[in-house]
Amino acid sequence: MLLQGGRVVDVTAGRMLEADVLIRNGRIERIGRPLTASADATIDCSGRVITAGFVDAHVHIESSMVLPQAFGEAVLPHGTTTVIADPHEAVNVGGASALDVFLEEARLSPADVFTVVPSSVPATPFDTNGAGEFTADEMKPYVCRDDVVGLGEVMCFVDVKNKRKEILDKINLFKDKTIDGHTAGMPEEWVEEYAAAGVKNDHECVSAEALLHRYACGMNIYVREGSAARNARELLTAVKAHGLDTKRFAFCTDDKHLATIAREGHISYIVRMALAMGFSWPEVALMASDNACRFYGLKDRGRMAEGYRADIVVTDADCRHIDWVIKDGRIVAQNQSVLSDDSHHKEVRRFANTVKFRTLSPEDFTLPDRLRHMALVLTEGQLLTKLKHLEGDAWRNLPLLATIERHGRNGNMAVCLLEGYGIRGGAVATSVSHDSHNVVCAGDNPEDMALATNTLRDMGGGYVVASGGRVLASLALPAFGLMATGDAHSVAERISQLETAAHQLGVNPGIDPFITLSFVALPVIPSVRLLDTGLFLTDTQEFL
């Protein structure tokens, strides 16, 4: 293939080249002008920018709710040709066997998926996950794999601070690869010691001050822009204002849902933002492509250079329209639409049902008397919650929230009052519930709550909306109760239908009915959560 007449991004020299690009056998063979070699296909790139394929430096594919193959098909049209995936969610459900399945599924993706081994399973000791503890001994078989590029985000920073042997053994195991960081909620005075332990990067910076502190401690910074966490503009402003070295930064999404990807793009969204803020194409290409490859030891990709893998994006000067995406020397997407390739498809894997609890009755959703005078209150537009004390009979006007242990380990179940969700005349249930992924259900009557959760169990996990004794809408997520087996477009459409059904039952229009429930059982976010083990105050780490 011959790309003629474009402007090639040269990150090595920090410049734009008026040059042609000759691709042969999946590699960039020559860059220069004029190139007159015969080619099977010639593309006129006049007026276009030719840059390396984009790389997502940190993403949980499970959050897209599709398997890696469908995820790759969703991000390729937006120029993402490589992702670094942390299957923290799947491994919390299924342990090493889930990691094995994820690695197998990752090979089917048309975008290359490299994996970091989750470090913090379980994420906390306060609730129940499916895998128990994923130990350093269990990780040993994965260290030497070429598709495994490091240790996943070290969320257990308290264990690092206390020099707990379990986490230090994991860090030492991957000392020759990359150790990913996660500093959300960590005291700032711990950052230097955390970095000194071997943690290489952080994707949890939400302010310029946090960025500058980690940068000074030698950490690489991942500029994140997902569906909920949107930090890129503030962080890029700080990079620009302080003249920081762009070789220390990479772009990532962390968690970005299919509808958001379809609407605004993937890594391409951060690329457009950076260009509009005055970064040059060579600076942007470093952060969007080259740096992540260098950080994870992927030496044959990430830049426009002879001998490198021909993963290429052809776009306009502002990256507002991506004309062609080339993967391994083949055109895989054109005009922001993926080109079908049946060679990647095979028979869909049958997944064992990981949602295991007894048949629930309406009586199981009875509110304990001692909790009638307190409610978990949502904060619109944020993941934060608070505890509210109620007077008199105010509790009678609020819907219920339930968390049900779904891994078949102990049968735990907890129920409390919920304010700010707004449901009337039905129930909404999900098996996507970070990080332990127990079943969470909100509803205003126990009959529909029992129907929704039992239906969810029989489906093997997913989303359910029930009302008046019948299921209004559902989406099965049979892969560990987290991912569907369909294509990205079909799954996104189904999720949209479910959101509509939930909002028609009165769910607050300012919140996502399902993503909101996915975080009410996560005990690392302030200030009150409903775990399968009870109503929990995260600030003081005590149960009510």
Side-chain angles (χ1 to χ4, degrees), residues 78 253 256-257 259-269 272:
H78 302 286
T253 60
K256 193 158 189 176
H257 307 119
T260 319
I261 293 170
R263 182 174 64 253
E264 65 184 29
H266 191 236
I267 296 299
S268 57
Y269 183 83
R272 288 196 300 275

Side-chain angles (χ1 to χ4, degrees), residues 119-422:
S119 67
S120 304
V121 177
T124 76
F126 303 115
D127 56 355
T128 309
N129 72 351
E133 187 167 359
F134 188 41
T135 66
D137 283 342
E138 292 177 282
M139 293 179 180
K140 287 179 180 177
Y142 304 99
V143 176
C144 295
R145 290 182 58 136
D146 291 339
D147 54 352
V148 171
V149 293
L151 183 68
E153 54 185 314
V154 180
M155 303 171 68
C156 50
F157 48 77
V158 174
D159 292 343
V160 176
K161 172 68 175 175
N162 294 333
K163 296 181 170 56
R164 187 174 177 231
K165 182 179 184 298
E166 287 81 355
I167 188 60
L168 296 184
D169 285 347
K170 295 174 185 179
I171 291 173
N172 185 60
L173 192 62
F174 286 90
K175 65 182 184 299
D176 295 328
K177 294 193 174 184
T178 293
I179 314 295
D180 285 346
H182 172 107
T183 65
M186 186 172 78
E188 282 298 298
E189 60 267 26
W190 292 8
V191 172
E192 189 170 352
E193 187 175 349
Y194 183 70
V199 180
K200 305 291 188 186
N201 58 66
D202 187 27
H203 62 275
E204 291 287 351
C205 290
V206 297
S207 69
E209 292 75 19
L211 181 154
L212 292 170
H213 188 192
R214 285 147 185 76
Y215 184 89
C217 290
M219 300 178 78
N220 297 318
I221 310 300
Y222 292 176
V223 175
R224 175 177 62 182
E225 189 81 1
S227 288
R230 293 183 174 268
N231 314 123
R233 186 169 299 281
E234 182 167 359
L235 300 185
L236 288 172
T237 298
V239 175
K240 196 78 170 170
H242 294 275
L244 303 181
D245 185 358
T246 52
K247 291 182 179 178
R248 295 274 303 280
F249 295 85
F251 294 162
C252 79
T253 60
D254 197 3
D255 299 291
K256 193 158 189 176
H257 307 119
L258 293 175
T260 319
I261 293 170
R263 182 174 64 253
E264 65 184 29
H266 191 236
I267 296 299
S268 57
Y269 183 83
I270 317 177
V271 169
R272 288 196 300 275
M273 182 188 298
L275 291 168
M277 293 173 68
F279 288 91
S280 69
W281 257 111
E283 290 174 319
V284 172
L286 277 173
M287 297 186 285
S289 306
D290 187 69
N291 291 344
C293 295
R294 183 164 46 85
F295 296 159
Y296 290 100
L298 306 176
K299 298 178 180 179
D300 68 340
R301 68 184 71 211
R303 64 175 61 183
M304 294 299 301
E306 293 175 0
Y308 273 62
R309 187 181 297 270
D311 293 355
I312 297 171
V313 173
V314 181
T315 183
D316 59 8
D318 300 325
C319 200
R320 295 196 176 280
H321 183 84
I322 294 176
D323 301 271
W324 292 280
V325 180
I326 296 166
K327 180 78 188 76
D328 296 321
R330 293 187 309 105
I331 297 175
V332 292
Q334 186 170 351
N335 293 324
Q336 300 183 176
S337 296
V338 70
L339 302 181
S340 61
D341 180 6
D342 293 336
S343 66
H344 280 283
H345 290 263
K346 68 167 191 175
E347 185 176 349
V348 175
R349 179 191 300 268
R350 294 183 63 85
F351 291 89
N353 191 338
T354 59
V355 182
K356 304 169 185 176
F357 53 83
R358 63 181 173 80
T359 299
L360 299 176
S361 67
E363 290 70 30
D364 290 310
F365 295 88
T366 300
L367 178 70
D369 289 343
R370 64 187 179 279
L371 293 183
R372 287 185 177 182
H373 300 295
M374 59 186 73
L376 185 156
V377 182
L378 303 175
T379 303
E380 187 172 329
Q382 298 185 50
L383 301 180
L384 303 176
T385 57
K386 62 183 179 181
L387 187 68
K388 180 177 181 179
H389 293 279
L390 306 172
E391 301 292 334
D393 289 339
W395 66 273
R396 296 183 183 277
N397 299 318
L398 292 178
L400 298 171
L401 178 68
T403 300
I404 303 137
E405 188 273 316
R406 64 98 158 175
H407 307 290
R409 298 186 66 188
N410 53 40
N412 285 343
M413 180 173 174
V415 179
C416 75
L417 294 167
L418 177 65
E419 183 175 304
Y421 193 72

Side-chain angles (χ1 to χ4, degrees), residues 424-444:
R424 285 289 178 265
V428 174
T430 175
S431 59
V432 180
S433 173
H434 307 289
D435 282 317
S436 292
H437 296 291
N438 290 305
V439 165
V440 175
C441 181
D444 74 333

